[in-house]
Amino acid sequence: VNPVRVTVKFNAAVSDAAATEGSFKVYDAANPTVELGIASSSLKYDNTAVELILSSMPSSSTTYQVSNVATLHKRIAPMVTLEANAPPVNIVDSSWDFIELNNWRIGRTCETCSNSHFSISSEDDMQTSQIFRDTGTTHKGPRSDFNTWDVSFNRTDGATYSTDVIQFGYQAVQIRDWRI
């Protein structure tokens, strides 16, 4: 069984201390005394997110919230803080923004880019065959960046994830801001 991961995103980079043990708690929204254990935490996306790996399994019938229990500081301007016990946020399901067809994936890539990217990638040699940008430009492969098979948090040009579900309609598929 894969561990459950909760990613807490920020609108600016936070200090390294944000990932220290005990900075966050995950708990039942209806009963805040019922907490889920956090096995580990780490910074992701150039310190704009903290990934929490849960040590206990959440119930599918329960709504959970996450809250910081320690004061968090902005990385560049440490005097800008998010005070401890700031209002909690609900945890929502998110999923990767791609469709997998055998050893090919088509989907949105590069969450941090200034323009939206959509890529066609093969699992063979982890190569990207084609990149489309919302500016109308196309970029041919083979190449190794903007690859939908890259779902690690170490690179920012890999597959994206969101709370937007992939939508299938009449003669169309919608993946976030891309329709094919």
Side-chain angles (χ1 to χ4, degrees):
V1 174
N2 290 331
V4 175
R5 300 169 190 271
V6 174
T7 304
V8 181
K9 288 186 161 187
F10 300 96
N11 62 1
V14 293
S15 69
D16 293 344
T20 58
E21 204 168 309
S23 293
F24 294 90
K25 69 178 181 176
V26 176
Y27 56 92
D28 183 336
N31 184 359
T33 62
V34 178
E35 293 185 28
L36 296 177
I38 299 173
S40 64
S41 60
S42 59
L43 291 164
K44 304 293 180 185
Y45 296 122
D46 296 324
N47 284 38
T48 61
V50 174
E51 181 183 66
L52 308 172
I53 309 248
L54 301 183
S55 59
S56 45
M57 189 61 70
S59 168
S60 61
S61 61
T62 303
T63 299
Y64 292 95
Q65 293 183 319
V66 63
S67 182
N68 63 307
V69 294
T71 299
L72 304 178
H73 299 272
K74 193 172 177 182
R75 185 174 211 177
I76 304 286
M79 71 291 278
V80 177
T81 63
L82 176 62
E83 294 302 318
N85 301 310
V89 292
N90 287 336
I91 297 174
V92 294
D93 286 332
S94 61
S95 61
W96 295 104
D97 297 323
F98 60 75
I99 296 173
E100 187 172 324
L101 306 166
N102 198 7
N103 66 333
W104 290 88
R105 285 184 180 170
I106 57 173
R108 193 171 188 279
T109 54
C110 195
E111 191 70 62
T112 59
C113 292
S114 59
N115 297 98
S116 181
H117 291 71
F118 190 85
S119 299
I120 301 171
S121 305
S122 171
E123 187 178 23
D124 299 338
D125 299 322
M126 295 292 288
Q127 293 291 304
T128 301
S129 298
Q130 183 76 44
I131 301 168
F132 302 90
R133 289 180 61 190
D134 65 357
T135 59
T137 61
T138 59
H139 306 273
K140 293 181 180 180
R143 52 192 297 160
S144 61
D145 56 349
F146 300 96
N147 192 303
T148 52
W149 289 93
D150 182 1
V151 293
S152 71
F153 286 102
N154 298 330
R155 291 184 50 175
T156 58
D157 63 355
T160 62
Y161 65 95
S162 69
T163 59
D164 298 335
V165 296
I166 296 173
Q167 299 177 24
F168 294 87
Y170 179 70
Q171 298 183 349
V173 176
Q174 180 90 23
I175 302 175
R176 286 199 36 199
D177 54 340
W178 289 90
R179 183 173 293 168
I180 51 176

